[in-house]
Amino acid sequence: MARYEAGWPPARIAEQLGVAHSPVCKWVTRHREEGEAGLADRACARTTARPACPRKPKPRSWHCWAW
């Protein structure tokens, strides 16, 4: 956050850190809204599971090579 507070644009910060522009904007927003606590690691995984999609069986193709 020191770079942002020093006036660096998010695009330059992203370039220096080797990340995309969007995470830098997300970090800046979190810091504004939640302070230092907003920068703590967060789980990236879903907290709820998606319902299982019923899978259709693939049609089998039978090849007879009998002569």
Side-chain angles (χ1 to χ4, degrees):
M1 290 311 310
R3 293 176 187 175
Y4 182 76
E5 291 169 355
W8 287 33
R12 184 169 176 215
I13 297 170
E15 182 182 323
Q16 291 288 316
L17 297 176
V19 298
H21 180 265
S22 58
V24 174
C25 291
K26 179 172 41 174
W27 298 333
V28 168
T29 301
R30 285 182 182 173
H31 187 263
R32 268 196 233 129
E33 293 174 355
E34 303 173 34
E36 292 292 321
L39 301 178
D41 283 343
R42 296 184 183 191
C44 294
R46 288 183 176 267
T47 55
T48 58
R50 288 184 178 176
C53 296
R55 296 187 181 219
K56 295 180 182 177
K58 292 183 179 180
R60 294 186 179 185
S61 59
W62 300 94
H63 292 81
C64 279
W65 298 101
W67 296 70

Short mmCIF file of all heavy atoms in Angstrom, two decimals:
data_model
loop_
_atom_site.label_atom_id
_atom_site.label_comp_id
_atom_site.label_asym_id
_atom_site.label_seq_id
_atom_site.Cartn_x
_atom_site.Cartn_y
_atom_site.Cartn_z
N MET A 1 0.82 -1.19 0.00
CA MET A 1 0.00 0.00 0.00
C MET A 1 0.86 1.25 0.00
O MET A 1 0.38 2.31 -0.37
CB MET A 1 -0.93 -0.01 1.21
CG MET A 1 -2.05 -1.05 1.15
SD MET A 1 -3.03 -1.17 -0.34
CE MET A 1 -3.53 0.46 -0.67
N ALA A 2 2.11 1.10 0.38
CA ALA A 2 2.98 2.27 0.43
C ALA A 2 3.15 2.88 -0.96
O ALA A 2 3.19 4.10 -1.10
CB ALA A 2 4.34 1.89 1.01
N ARG A 3 3.24 2.04 -1.98
CA ARG A 3 3.40 2.55 -3.34
C ARG A 3 2.15 3.33 -3.77
O ARG A 3 2.25 4.38 -4.39
CB ARG A 3 3.66 1.41 -4.32
CG ARG A 3 4.99 0.74 -4.09
CD ARG A 3 5.17 -0.44 -4.99
NE ARG A 3 6.40 -1.16 -4.63
CZ ARG A 3 6.78 -2.28 -5.17
NH1 ARG A 3 6.06 -2.85 -6.10
NH2 ARG A 3 7.89 -2.87 -4.80
N TYR A 4 0.99 2.79 -3.45
CA TYR A 4 -0.26 3.47 -3.82
C TYR A 4 -0.37 4.80 -3.08
O TYR A 4 -0.73 5.82 -3.67
CB TYR A 4 -1.46 2.58 -3.51
CG TYR A 4 -2.77 3.21 -3.91
CD1 TYR A 4 -3.16 3.25 -5.24
CD2 TYR A 4 -3.61 3.78 -2.97
CE1 TYR A 4 -4.35 3.84 -5.63
CE2 TYR A 4 -4.80 4.37 -3.34
CZ TYR A 4 -5.17 4.40 -4.66
OH TYR A 4 -6.34 4.99 -5.04
N GLU A 5 -0.06 4.80 -1.79
CA GLU A 5 -0.13 6.02 -1.00
C GLU A 5 0.91 7.05 -1.45
O GLU A 5 0.72 8.24 -1.24
CB GLU A 5 0.01 5.69 0.48
CG GLU A 5 -1.19 4.93 1.01
CD GLU A 5 -0.99 4.36 2.40
OE1 GLU A 5 0.14 4.46 2.93
OE2 GLU A 5 -1.95 3.81 2.94
N ALA A 6 2.00 6.57 -2.07
CA ALA A 6 3.02 7.47 -2.59
C ALA A 6 2.61 8.06 -3.94
O ALA A 6 3.34 8.87 -4.50
CB ALA A 6 4.35 6.73 -2.72
N GLY A 7 1.45 7.62 -4.48
CA GLY A 7 0.94 8.20 -5.70
C GLY A 7 1.15 7.35 -6.95
O GLY A 7 0.87 7.80 -8.05
N TRP A 8 1.65 6.14 -6.78
CA TRP A 8 1.84 5.26 -7.93
C TRP A 8 0.48 4.85 -8.48
O TRP A 8 -0.43 4.51 -7.72
CB TRP A 8 2.58 4.00 -7.54
CG TRP A 8 4.04 4.15 -7.25
CD1 TRP A 8 4.66 5.23 -6.70
CD2 TRP A 8 5.04 3.17 -7.47
NE1 TRP A 8 6.00 4.97 -6.56
CE2 TRP A 8 6.26 3.71 -7.03
CE3 TRP A 8 5.02 1.89 -7.99
CZ2 TRP A 8 7.45 3.01 -7.10
CZ3 TRP A 8 6.21 1.19 -8.05
CH2 TRP A 8 7.41 1.75 -7.63
N PRO A 9 0.30 4.83 -9.80
CA PRO A 9 -0.95 4.33 -10.36
C PRO A 9 -1.01 2.80 -10.25
O PRO A 9 0.04 2.13 -10.27
CB PRO A 9 -0.88 4.77 -11.83
CG PRO A 9 0.56 4.99 -12.11
CD PRO A 9 1.21 5.37 -10.81
N PRO A 10 -2.21 2.23 -10.10
CA PRO A 10 -2.34 0.78 -9.95
C PRO A 10 -1.68 -0.01 -11.09
O PRO A 10 -1.12 -1.08 -10.86
CB PRO A 10 -3.85 0.55 -9.93
CG PRO A 10 -4.39 1.82 -9.37
CD PRO A 10 -3.51 2.89 -9.91
N ALA A 11 -1.70 0.53 -12.31
CA ALA A 11 -1.09 -0.18 -13.43
C ALA A 11 0.41 -0.34 -13.23
O ALA A 11 0.99 -1.39 -13.54
CB ALA A 11 -1.38 0.55 -14.73
N ARG A 12 1.05 0.68 -12.73
CA ARG A 12 2.51 0.61 -12.50
C ARG A 12 2.82 -0.34 -11.35
O ARG A 12 3.79 -1.09 -11.39
CB ARG A 12 3.06 2.00 -12.21
CG ARG A 12 4.55 2.00 -12.05
CD ARG A 12 5.14 3.39 -12.04
NE ARG A 12 6.56 3.31 -11.79
CZ ARG A 12 7.23 4.20 -11.10
NH1 ARG A 12 6.62 5.27 -10.61
NH2 ARG A 12 8.52 4.07 -10.91
N ILE A 13 2.00 -0.31 -10.30
CA ILE A 13 2.19 -1.23 -9.17
C ILE A 13 2.07 -2.66 -9.66
O ILE A 13 2.89 -3.52 -9.32
CB ILE A 13 1.17 -0.94 -8.05
CG1 ILE A 13 1.38 0.46 -7.49
CG2 ILE A 13 1.28 -1.99 -6.95
CD1 ILE A 13 0.29 0.94 -6.55
N ALA A 14 1.05 -2.92 -10.47
CA ALA A 14 0.85 -4.27 -11.01
C ALA A 14 2.05 -4.71 -11.82
O ALA A 14 2.51 -5.86 -11.71
CB ALA A 14 -0.41 -4.30 -11.87
N GLU A 15 2.58 -3.82 -12.64
CA GLU A 15 3.75 -4.14 -13.46
C GLU A 15 4.95 -4.48 -12.57
O GLU A 15 5.67 -5.45 -12.83
CB GLU A 15 4.08 -2.95 -14.36
CG GLU A 15 5.26 -3.18 -15.28
CD GLU A 15 5.58 -1.96 -16.12
OE1 GLU A 15 4.63 -1.25 -16.53
OE2 GLU A 15 6.77 -1.72 -16.34
N GLN A 16 5.17 -3.70 -11.55
CA GLN A 16 6.29 -3.93 -10.65
C GLN A 16 6.17 -5.25 -9.87
O GLN A 16 7.15 -5.91 -9.62
CB GLN A 16 6.42 -2.77 -9.64
CG GLN A 16 6.86 -1.48 -10.27
CD GLN A 16 8.32 -1.53 -10.67
OE1 GLN A 16 9.16 -2.00 -9.93
NE2 GLN A 16 8.60 -1.04 -11.87
N LEU A 17 4.92 -5.61 -9.52
CA LEU A 17 4.69 -6.83 -8.76
C LEU A 17 4.54 -8.06 -9.64
O LEU A 17 4.50 -9.18 -9.14
CB LEU A 17 3.44 -6.68 -7.88
CG LEU A 17 3.52 -5.61 -6.80
CD1 LEU A 17 2.19 -5.50 -6.08
CD2 LEU A 17 4.64 -5.91 -5.82
N GLY A 18 4.39 -7.84 -10.94
CA GLY A 18 4.23 -8.96 -11.87
C GLY A 18 2.86 -9.60 -11.79
O GLY A 18 2.72 -10.81 -11.96
N VAL A 19 1.85 -8.79 -11.51
CA VAL A 19 0.47 -9.29 -11.45
C VAL A 19 -0.39 -8.47 -12.40
O VAL A 19 0.04 -7.44 -12.91
CB VAL A 19 -0.11 -9.22 -10.01
CG1 VAL A 19 0.67 -10.09 -9.06
CG2 VAL A 19 -0.15 -7.79 -9.51
N ALA A 20 -1.62 -8.91 -12.60
CA ALA A 20 -2.56 -8.17 -13.43
C ALA A 20 -3.04 -6.92 -12.70
O ALA A 20 -2.89 -6.80 -11.48
CB ALA A 20 -3.75 -9.06 -13.81
N HIS A 21 -3.65 -6.02 -13.43
CA HIS A 21 -4.14 -4.76 -12.88
C HIS A 21 -5.29 -4.98 -11.90
O HIS A 21 -5.39 -4.31 -10.88
CB HIS A 21 -4.59 -3.88 -14.06
CG HIS A 21 -5.12 -2.55 -13.66
ND1 HIS A 21 -6.46 -2.32 -13.51
CD2 HIS A 21 -4.51 -1.38 -13.39
CE1 HIS A 21 -6.64 -1.06 -13.16
NE2 HIS A 21 -5.46 -0.48 -13.09
N SER A 22 -6.17 -5.95 -12.20
CA SER A 22 -7.38 -6.14 -11.38
C SER A 22 -7.10 -6.52 -9.92
O SER A 22 -7.77 -6.00 -9.03
CB SER A 22 -8.32 -7.14 -12.04
OG SER A 22 -7.70 -8.37 -12.25
N PRO A 23 -6.11 -7.39 -9.62
CA PRO A 23 -5.87 -7.68 -8.20
C PRO A 23 -5.40 -6.44 -7.43
O PRO A 23 -5.77 -6.26 -6.27
CB PRO A 23 -4.78 -8.74 -8.21
CG PRO A 23 -4.83 -9.36 -9.55
CD PRO A 23 -5.32 -8.29 -10.47
N VAL A 24 -4.61 -5.59 -8.06
CA VAL A 24 -4.14 -4.38 -7.38
C VAL A 24 -5.33 -3.50 -7.03
O VAL A 24 -5.43 -2.99 -5.91
CB VAL A 24 -3.11 -3.63 -8.24
CG1 VAL A 24 -2.74 -2.31 -7.59
CG2 VAL A 24 -1.87 -4.48 -8.47
N CYS A 25 -6.24 -3.33 -7.97
CA CYS A 25 -7.44 -2.53 -7.69
C CYS A 25 -8.26 -3.14 -6.57
O CYS A 25 -8.79 -2.43 -5.71
CB CYS A 25 -8.28 -2.37 -8.96
SG CYS A 25 -7.48 -1.35 -10.20
N LYS A 26 -8.35 -4.48 -6.56
CA LYS A 26 -9.10 -5.17 -5.51
C LYS A 26 -8.43 -4.94 -4.16
O LYS A 26 -9.10 -4.66 -3.16
CB LYS A 26 -9.16 -6.66 -5.83
CG LYS A 26 -9.89 -7.47 -4.78
CD LYS A 26 -10.15 -8.91 -5.17
CE LYS A 26 -9.02 -9.59 -5.87
NZ LYS A 26 -9.25 -11.03 -6.09
N TRP A 27 -7.10 -5.02 -4.10
CA TRP A 27 -6.38 -4.80 -2.84
C TRP A 27 -6.55 -3.37 -2.34
O TRP A 27 -6.73 -3.16 -1.14
CB TRP A 27 -4.90 -5.13 -3.01
CG TRP A 27 -4.62 -6.56 -3.37
CD1 TRP A 27 -5.39 -7.65 -3.08
CD2 TRP A 27 -3.52 -7.04 -4.14
NE1 TRP A 27 -4.82 -8.79 -3.61
CE2 TRP A 27 -3.68 -8.45 -4.27
CE3 TRP A 27 -2.42 -6.44 -4.74
CZ2 TRP A 27 -2.76 -9.24 -4.96
CZ3 TRP A 27 -1.51 -7.23 -5.42
CH2 TRP A 27 -1.68 -8.62 -5.52
N VAL A 28 -6.49 -2.41 -3.26
CA VAL A 28 -6.66 -1.01 -2.87
C VAL A 28 -8.06 -0.79 -2.29
O VAL A 28 -8.22 -0.15 -1.25
CB VAL A 28 -6.40 -0.07 -4.07
CG1 VAL A 28 -6.85 1.35 -3.76
CG2 VAL A 28 -4.92 -0.11 -4.46
N THR A 29 -9.07 -1.35 -2.96
CA THR A 29 -10.45 -1.20 -2.48
C THR A 29 -10.62 -1.84 -1.11
O THR A 29 -11.22 -1.24 -0.21
CB THR A 29 -11.43 -1.84 -3.49
OG1 THR A 29 -11.26 -1.20 -4.74
CG2 THR A 29 -12.86 -1.70 -3.01
N ARG A 30 -10.07 -3.04 -0.94
CA ARG A 30 -10.18 -3.71 0.36
C ARG A 30 -9.49 -2.90 1.45
O ARG A 30 -9.98 -2.81 2.58
CB ARG A 30 -9.57 -5.11 0.29
CG ARG A 30 -10.42 -6.11 -0.41
CD ARG A 30 -9.74 -7.46 -0.38
NE ARG A 30 -10.51 -8.46 -1.09
CZ ARG A 30 -10.09 -9.69 -1.32
NH1 ARG A 30 -8.91 -10.08 -0.92
NH2 ARG A 30 -10.85 -10.54 -1.97
N HIS A 31 -8.34 -2.34 1.13
CA HIS A 31 -7.61 -1.56 2.13
C HIS A 31 -8.40 -0.31 2.52
O HIS A 31 -8.44 0.06 3.69
CB HIS A 31 -6.23 -1.18 1.59
CG HIS A 31 -5.37 -0.52 2.62
ND1 HIS A 31 -5.25 0.84 2.72
CD2 HIS A 31 -4.60 -1.05 3.61
CE1 HIS A 31 -4.43 1.13 3.72
NE2 HIS A 31 -4.02 0.00 4.27
N ARG A 32 -9.02 0.34 1.54
CA ARG A 32 -9.84 1.52 1.84
C ARG A 32 -11.02 1.17 2.74
O ARG A 32 -11.37 1.91 3.65
CB ARG A 32 -10.37 2.13 0.54
CG ARG A 32 -9.49 3.19 -0.01
CD ARG A 32 -10.25 4.01 -1.06
NE ARG A 32 -9.46 4.02 -2.27
CZ ARG A 32 -9.89 3.71 -3.48
NH1 ARG A 32 -11.14 3.40 -3.67
NH2 ARG A 32 -9.10 3.75 -4.51
N GLU A 33 -11.68 0.03 2.42
CA GLU A 33 -12.90 -0.34 3.14
C GLU A 33 -12.63 -1.00 4.49
O GLU A 33 -13.40 -0.80 5.44
CB GLU A 33 -13.74 -1.29 2.28
CG GLU A 33 -14.29 -0.64 1.04
CD GLU A 33 -14.99 -1.61 0.11
OE1 GLU A 33 -14.97 -2.84 0.37
OE2 GLU A 33 -15.56 -1.14 -0.90
N GLU A 34 -11.55 -1.80 4.60
CA GLU A 34 -11.33 -2.60 5.81
C GLU A 34 -10.02 -2.32 6.52
O GLU A 34 -9.74 -2.93 7.55
CB GLU A 34 -11.39 -4.08 5.43
CG GLU A 34 -12.67 -4.50 4.75
CD GLU A 34 -12.62 -5.93 4.26
OE1 GLU A 34 -11.98 -6.77 4.91
OE2 GLU A 34 -13.23 -6.22 3.21
N GLY A 35 -9.19 -1.46 5.96
CA GLY A 35 -7.89 -1.19 6.58
C GLY A 35 -6.94 -2.36 6.36
O GLY A 35 -7.07 -3.13 5.42
N GLU A 36 -5.98 -2.50 7.27
CA GLU A 36 -4.98 -3.58 7.16
C GLU A 36 -5.63 -4.97 7.17
O GLU A 36 -5.14 -5.89 6.54
CB GLU A 36 -3.96 -3.48 8.28
CG GLU A 36 -3.05 -2.26 8.18
CD GLU A 36 -2.11 -2.33 6.98
OE1 GLU A 36 -1.59 -3.42 6.68
OE2 GLU A 36 -1.91 -1.28 6.34
N ALA A 37 -6.74 -5.11 7.87
CA ALA A 37 -7.42 -6.42 7.93
C ALA A 37 -7.91 -6.85 6.55
O ALA A 37 -8.01 -8.05 6.28
CB ALA A 37 -8.59 -6.35 8.90
N GLY A 38 -8.18 -5.92 5.68
CA GLY A 38 -8.65 -6.25 4.34
C GLY A 38 -7.58 -6.88 3.47
O GLY A 38 -7.89 -7.45 2.42
N LEU A 39 -6.32 -6.77 3.88
CA LEU A 39 -5.22 -7.33 3.10
C LEU A 39 -4.83 -8.73 3.55
O LEU A 39 -3.91 -9.32 2.98
CB LEU A 39 -4.01 -6.40 3.16
CG LEU A 39 -4.25 -4.98 2.64
CD1 LEU A 39 -3.00 -4.14 2.78
CD2 LEU A 39 -4.70 -5.00 1.19
N ALA A 40 -5.49 -9.25 4.56
CA ALA A 40 -5.18 -10.60 5.05
C ALA A 40 -5.53 -11.63 3.99
O ALA A 40 -6.40 -11.40 3.14
CB ALA A 40 -5.98 -10.88 6.33
N ASP A 41 -4.83 -12.75 4.02
CA ASP A 41 -5.11 -13.83 3.07
C ASP A 41 -6.55 -14.29 3.20
O ASP A 41 -7.08 -14.39 4.30
CB ASP A 41 -4.19 -15.03 3.32
CG ASP A 41 -2.79 -14.79 2.79
OD1 ASP A 41 -2.61 -13.87 1.97
OD2 ASP A 41 -1.88 -15.51 3.21
N ARG A 42 -7.14 -14.57 2.06
CA ARG A 42 -8.50 -15.08 2.03
C ARG A 42 -8.52 -16.35 1.21
O ARG A 42 -7.76 -16.51 0.26
CB ARG A 42 -9.45 -14.07 1.39
CG ARG A 42 -9.55 -12.79 2.19
CD ARG A 42 -10.55 -11.87 1.59
NE ARG A 42 -10.58 -10.61 2.35
CZ ARG A 42 -11.48 -9.70 2.20
NH1 ARG A 42 -12.44 -9.85 1.32
NH2 ARG A 42 -11.45 -8.60 2.92
N ALA A 43 -9.43 -17.24 1.56
CA ALA A 43 -9.57 -18.49 0.81
C ALA A 43 -10.11 -18.18 -0.58
O ALA A 43 -11.02 -17.37 -0.74
CB ALA A 43 -10.50 -19.44 1.54
N CYS A 44 -9.54 -18.82 -1.58
CA CYS A 44 -9.99 -18.61 -2.95
C CYS A 44 -11.06 -19.64 -3.35
O CYS A 44 -11.74 -19.47 -4.34
CB CYS A 44 -8.82 -18.72 -3.92
SG CYS A 44 -7.63 -17.40 -3.71
N ALA A 45 -11.16 -20.70 -2.58
CA ALA A 45 -12.10 -21.77 -2.92
C ALA A 45 -13.53 -21.35 -2.58
O ALA A 45 -13.77 -20.53 -1.71
CB ALA A 45 -11.73 -23.04 -2.17
N ARG A 46 -14.46 -21.97 -3.29
CA ARG A 46 -15.88 -21.73 -2.99
C ARG A 46 -16.20 -22.21 -1.58
O ARG A 46 -15.67 -23.21 -1.12
CB ARG A 46 -16.77 -22.51 -3.95
CG ARG A 46 -16.79 -21.97 -5.32
CD ARG A 46 -17.78 -22.83 -6.12
NE ARG A 46 -17.92 -22.30 -7.44
CZ ARG A 46 -18.87 -21.45 -7.78
NH1 ARG A 46 -19.76 -21.08 -6.92
NH2 ARG A 46 -18.93 -20.98 -9.00
N THR A 47 -17.11 -21.51 -0.93
CA THR A 47 -17.53 -21.93 0.40
C THR A 47 -18.72 -22.88 0.32
O THR A 47 -19.03 -23.56 1.28
CB THR A 47 -17.91 -20.72 1.26
OG1 THR A 47 -18.90 -19.95 0.58
CG2 THR A 47 -16.68 -19.85 1.51
N THR A 48 -19.38 -22.91 -0.82
CA THR A 48 -20.48 -23.85 -1.01
C THR A 48 -20.19 -24.69 -2.24
O THR A 48 -19.59 -24.22 -3.21
CB THR A 48 -21.83 -23.12 -1.23
OG1 THR A 48 -21.72 -22.27 -2.35
CG2 THR A 48 -22.21 -22.31 0.00
N ALA A 49 -20.61 -25.91 -2.19
CA ALA A 49 -20.36 -26.81 -3.31
C ALA A 49 -21.43 -26.62 -4.38
O ALA A 49 -22.59 -26.36 -4.07
CB ALA A 49 -20.36 -28.26 -2.83
N ARG A 50 -21.04 -26.75 -5.61
CA ARG A 50 -22.01 -26.71 -6.70
C ARG A 50 -22.75 -28.03 -6.75
O ARG A 50 -22.17 -29.08 -6.45
CB ARG A 50 -21.30 -26.52 -8.03
CG ARG A 50 -20.74 -25.16 -8.24
CD ARG A 50 -20.16 -25.08 -9.62
NE ARG A 50 -19.66 -23.75 -9.87
CZ ARG A 50 -19.02 -23.40 -10.95
NH1 ARG A 50 -18.80 -24.28 -11.90
NH2 ARG A 50 -18.59 -22.18 -11.11
N PRO A 51 -24.01 -28.00 -7.13
CA PRO A 51 -24.72 -29.27 -7.27
C PRO A 51 -24.13 -30.07 -8.42
O PRO A 51 -23.70 -29.52 -9.43
CB PRO A 51 -26.16 -28.87 -7.56
CG PRO A 51 -26.09 -27.46 -8.01
CD PRO A 51 -24.86 -26.86 -7.42
N ALA A 52 -24.07 -31.36 -8.23
CA ALA A 52 -23.51 -32.23 -9.27
C ALA A 52 -24.41 -32.22 -10.50
O ALA A 52 -25.64 -32.27 -10.40
CB ALA A 52 -23.38 -33.65 -8.74
N CYS A 53 -23.81 -32.10 -11.64
CA CYS A 53 -24.56 -32.13 -12.89
C CYS A 53 -24.73 -33.58 -13.32
O CYS A 53 -23.77 -34.33 -13.33
CB CYS A 53 -23.82 -31.38 -14.00
SG CYS A 53 -23.64 -29.65 -13.68
N PRO A 54 -25.94 -33.96 -13.68
CA PRO A 54 -26.10 -35.34 -14.16
C PRO A 54 -25.37 -35.49 -15.49
O PRO A 54 -25.49 -34.65 -16.37
CB PRO A 54 -27.61 -35.49 -14.33
CG PRO A 54 -28.13 -34.10 -14.43
CD PRO A 54 -27.18 -33.22 -13.69
N ARG A 55 -24.59 -36.52 -15.59
CA ARG A 55 -23.83 -36.75 -16.81
C ARG A 55 -24.55 -37.77 -17.68
O ARG A 55 -25.00 -38.78 -17.19
CB ARG A 55 -22.44 -37.23 -16.49
CG ARG A 55 -21.66 -36.19 -15.75
CD ARG A 55 -20.24 -36.61 -15.57
NE ARG A 55 -19.54 -35.57 -14.83
CZ ARG A 55 -18.32 -35.20 -15.09
NH1 ARG A 55 -17.64 -35.77 -16.04
NH2 ARG A 55 -17.75 -34.26 -14.39
N LYS A 56 -24.62 -37.44 -18.95
CA LYS A 56 -25.22 -38.38 -19.89
C LYS A 56 -24.17 -39.40 -20.30
O LYS A 56 -23.03 -39.03 -20.57
CB LYS A 56 -25.72 -37.63 -21.13
CG LYS A 56 -26.83 -36.66 -20.86
CD LYS A 56 -27.24 -35.97 -22.15
CE LYS A 56 -28.34 -34.96 -21.87
NZ LYS A 56 -28.71 -34.23 -23.07
N PRO A 57 -24.55 -40.66 -20.33
CA PRO A 57 -23.57 -41.64 -20.77
C PRO A 57 -23.24 -41.44 -22.25
O PRO A 57 -24.11 -41.09 -23.05
CB PRO A 57 -24.26 -42.98 -20.54
CG PRO A 57 -25.71 -42.66 -20.42
CD PRO A 57 -25.81 -41.24 -19.96
N LYS A 58 -21.98 -41.60 -22.57
CA LYS A 58 -21.56 -41.46 -23.96
C LYS A 58 -22.02 -42.67 -24.75
O LYS A 58 -21.93 -43.80 -24.26
CB LYS A 58 -20.05 -41.34 -24.05
CG LYS A 58 -19.51 -40.06 -23.46
CD LYS A 58 -18.02 -39.99 -23.65
CE LYS A 58 -17.48 -38.70 -23.07
NZ LYS A 58 -16.03 -38.61 -23.23
N PRO A 59 -22.52 -42.45 -25.94
CA PRO A 59 -22.92 -43.61 -26.75
C PRO A 59 -21.70 -44.42 -27.15
O PRO A 59 -20.65 -43.87 -27.47
CB PRO A 59 -23.59 -42.98 -27.97
CG PRO A 59 -23.09 -41.58 -28.02
CD PRO A 59 -22.75 -41.19 -26.62
N ARG A 60 -21.84 -45.71 -27.06
CA ARG A 60 -20.72 -46.57 -27.41
C ARG A 60 -20.79 -46.91 -28.89
O ARG A 60 -21.86 -47.14 -29.44
CB ARG A 60 -20.78 -47.87 -26.61
CG ARG A 60 -20.57 -47.64 -25.15
CD ARG A 60 -20.49 -48.94 -24.44
NE ARG A 60 -20.26 -48.69 -23.02
CZ ARG A 60 -20.05 -49.63 -22.15
NH1 ARG A 60 -20.08 -50.89 -22.53
NH2 ARG A 60 -19.84 -49.34 -20.90
N SER A 61 -19.67 -46.89 -29.51
CA SER A 61 -19.64 -47.27 -30.91
C SER A 61 -18.93 -48.62 -31.00
O SER A 61 -17.84 -48.81 -30.48
CB SER A 61 -18.90 -46.22 -31.74
OG SER A 61 -17.58 -46.07 -31.28
N TRP A 62 -19.61 -49.55 -31.58
CA TRP A 62 -19.08 -50.89 -31.71
C TRP A 62 -18.53 -51.09 -33.11
O TRP A 62 -19.19 -50.82 -34.09
CB TRP A 62 -20.17 -51.93 -31.44
CG TRP A 62 -20.72 -51.80 -30.05
CD1 TRP A 62 -21.81 -51.10 -29.67
CD2 TRP A 62 -20.17 -52.35 -28.89
NE1 TRP A 62 -22.01 -51.18 -28.34
CE2 TRP A 62 -21.00 -51.96 -27.81
CE3 TRP A 62 -19.06 -53.14 -28.61
CZ2 TRP A 62 -20.76 -52.33 -26.51
CZ3 TRP A 62 -18.84 -53.51 -27.29
CH2 TRP A 62 -19.67 -53.11 -26.27
N HIS A 63 -17.32 -51.51 -33.17
CA HIS A 63 -16.69 -51.77 -34.46
C HIS A 63 -16.37 -53.24 -34.54
O HIS A 63 -15.65 -53.78 -33.71
CB HIS A 63 -15.38 -50.97 -34.60
CG HIS A 63 -15.58 -49.52 -34.70
ND1 HIS A 63 -15.81 -48.68 -33.61
CD2 HIS A 63 -15.64 -48.71 -35.78
CE1 HIS A 63 -15.95 -47.46 -34.02
NE2 HIS A 63 -15.85 -47.43 -35.32
N CYS A 64 -16.94 -53.89 -35.51
CA CYS A 64 -16.64 -55.31 -35.74
C CYS A 64 -15.62 -55.41 -36.85
O CYS A 64 -15.84 -54.93 -37.96
CB CYS A 64 -17.90 -56.09 -36.14
SG CYS A 64 -18.90 -56.52 -34.74
N TRP A 65 -14.56 -56.00 -36.53
CA TRP A 65 -13.51 -56.17 -37.53
C TRP A 65 -13.43 -57.64 -37.96
O TRP A 65 -12.41 -58.11 -38.42
CB TRP A 65 -12.16 -55.70 -36.99
CG TRP A 65 -12.18 -54.24 -36.67
CD1 TRP A 65 -12.32 -53.67 -35.45
CD2 TRP A 65 -12.09 -53.19 -37.60
NE1 TRP A 65 -12.32 -52.32 -35.55
CE2 TRP A 65 -12.18 -51.99 -36.89
CE3 TRP A 65 -11.96 -53.12 -39.00
CZ2 TRP A 65 -12.12 -50.75 -37.50
CZ3 TRP A 65 -11.89 -51.86 -39.58
CH2 TRP A 65 -11.98 -50.70 -38.83
N ALA A 66 -14.52 -58.35 -37.75
CA ALA A 66 -14.52 -59.76 -38.13
C ALA A 66 -14.57 -59.90 -39.66
O ALA A 66 -15.33 -59.22 -40.32
CB ALA A 66 -15.73 -60.47 -37.52
N TRP A 67 -13.82 -60.78 -40.21
CA TRP A 67 -13.77 -60.96 -41.66
C TRP A 67 -14.52 -62.16 -42.06
O TRP A 67 -14.52 -63.21 -41.75
CB TRP A 67 -12.32 -61.06 -42.12
CG TRP A 67 -11.58 -59.76 -41.85
CD1 TRP A 67 -11.23 -59.26 -40.67
CD2 TRP A 67 -11.21 -58.82 -42.83
NE1 TRP A 67 -10.61 -58.08 -40.82
CE2 TRP A 67 -10.57 -57.78 -42.16
CE3 TRP A 67 -11.31 -58.74 -44.22
CZ2 TRP A 67 -10.05 -56.68 -42.79
CZ3 TRP A 67 -10.77 -57.65 -44.82
CH2 TRP A 67 -10.16 -56.62 -44.11
#
